[in-house]
Amino acid sequence: MSNSIEDDSFSKPVGRWSVYCYGVGHMLNDITSACWFTYLLLFLTEIGLSSRDAAIVMLSGQIADGLATIFFGELIDRFGHFKIWHGAGAILVAVSFSSVFGGCIPCKLLSSFSTIVETVSYSTFAAIFNVGWAATQVSHMSMVSCITLNSTSRVVLASCRNAFTMVANLSLYGIAFIVFEVIRAETRADIENQYRWIAYLSIFIGCCFVGVFHLGTKEPRSKTGIHGNIHARISWTYWFLKILYYQVAIVYMLTRLVLNVSQAYLAFYVIDDLQMAQSSKALVPAIIYICSFVVSILLQEIAWNEQRLKAYYTAGGILWIFCGTAIILLPQSMSLFVYAISIFIGIANALMTVTAVSMQNVLIGQDLNGCAFVCGSLSFLDKISCGLTLFVLQSFHTHQ
């Protein structure tokens, strides 16, 4: 009787408060990630690193992130305790992130600001930051499948998470807009001071929401099956023999690749190509994330199935193709139209992200003891592909 009651509650829709508490759990990762992809390359080239050295720093972080996702996915599947991994990762992110944008600490200690020392220093802190980031991401993402078996609630959880990703991004660009307006960058020290304040404020906001997550979210089960039975960990080969695994992997990897690469070069685009004001590197992304936030909220009201996931993802992909084409063809004399394009980019981002993440839960289904490996392995493909793509693009990029 108790098992049937537990199974019934496990299949019921998740309450709004639980959805909210889960959704805010990735805020620290999201706000630091937004800063990472939007401003890291810009920051490093502004303080004097070459485009290739900046690309090396980015790539080192992405490789560390990709490898760590596989490692943490395996550990979480073996030992469980999602919230412990989440909390440990959040602490590492909070401690290390300020060093990524806080200036070259080893350079000051060694009294040497050579290119090699700077590159190694930033690459090391970038790797440490991304290891913590991976622990938080894999634990938080894989929790969805263990919180509920209800397919609509799984999409609602993913949608709420994405909505708060938009809140995190908006918070970052709000902070960045104020900092860029208040602190004028005339010297290298001024530039470092700008980004240091952005990092500190981002960490503070993210940590507040991590606290809400840990107080309001219960530790989900993973080792106990839906009928109360203890199941062994699912081997990797189980997933590798599924065609659906490769289909979802391609969809997720390409989605993250589009979002991350576009985010990384958006600031360069509006400043270097369109010759817009400095404030535009905060305003344009803000418009994108406001629109994504609104769409993510609306997506929570839909009753979801596999066909709708495919349809909405396809719509988002087609919309992104039109937006990308418009960006390529947009002349500098019509630079203000980038604000209109940003609206549709925001809509496309939300449609693609929510549905791509939800497809992971369709793949996992009721195989809960392999959920962390699925999330970790798909994230591995995302991080490595993104890191290599940014490295190649940045190696041929000339910062003006």
Side-chain angles (χ1 to χ4, degrees), residues 62-118:
Q62 292 300 113
I63 291 176
D65 195 346
L67 295 175
T69 54
I70 296 288
F71 178 69
F72 289 126
E74 177 68 13
L75 290 179
I76 292 170
D77 279 337
R78 283 181 180 272
F79 304 110
H81 302 295
F82 296 93
K83 290 178 67 176
I84 292 178
W85 292 106
H86 182 282
I91 292 172
L92 192 56
V93 167
V95 171
S96 62
F97 186 66
S98 59
S99 297
V100 176
F101 287 94
C104 181
I105 297 177
C107 296
K108 297 174 182 177
L109 295 176
L110 298 174
S111 299
S112 173
F113 284 85
S114 68
T115 301
I116 295 178
V117 174
E118 284 190 307

Side-chain angles (χ1 to χ4, degrees), residues 177 266-267 270-271 275-286 339:
F177 180 79
L266 190 59
V270 297
I271 298 298
Q275 297 293 308
M276 299 177 72
Q278 288 290 319
S279 59
S280 64
K281 64 186 178 184
L283 287 175
V284 171
Y339 293 113

Side-chain angles (χ1 to χ4, degrees), residues 66-80 82 134 137-139 141-143 145-146 222-223 233-242 245-246 248-249 252 360 363-364 367-381:
L67 295 175
T69 54
I70 296 288
F71 178 69
F72 289 126
E74 177 68 13
L75 290 179
I76 292 170
D77 279 337
R78 283 181 180 272
F79 304 110
F82 296 93
Q137 182 206 24
V138 174
S139 58
M141 186 179 292
S142 57
M143 284 177 70
S145 299
C146 297
S222 60
K223 293 296 177 185
R233 181 181 61 86
I234 296 174
S235 67
W236 295 10
T237 54
Y238 173 81
W239 302 108
F240 292 153
L241 294 175
K242 281 192 169 188
Y245 175 84
Y246 299 98
V248 173
Y252 183 76
Q360 293 186 31
L363 169 62
I364 293 168
D367 298 322
L368 305 185
N369 290 316
C371 60
F373 169 75
V374 170
C375 295
S377 60
L378 298 189
S379 293
F380 170 79
L381 296 175

Side-chain angles (χ1 to χ4, degrees), residues 3 38 44 54 60 80 102 115 127-128 133 187 218 230 232 265 275 283-284 305 309 337 341 345-346 368 374 380:
N3 282 343
T38 305
L44 294 175
S60 67
T115 301
I128 295 172
W133 202 97
T187 64
K218 295 180 179 179
I230 303 299
Y265 283 100
Q275 297 293 308
L283 287 175
V284 171
N305 54 41
L309 286 176
F337 278 94
I341 297 173
I345 291 177
L368 305 185
V374 170
F380 170 79

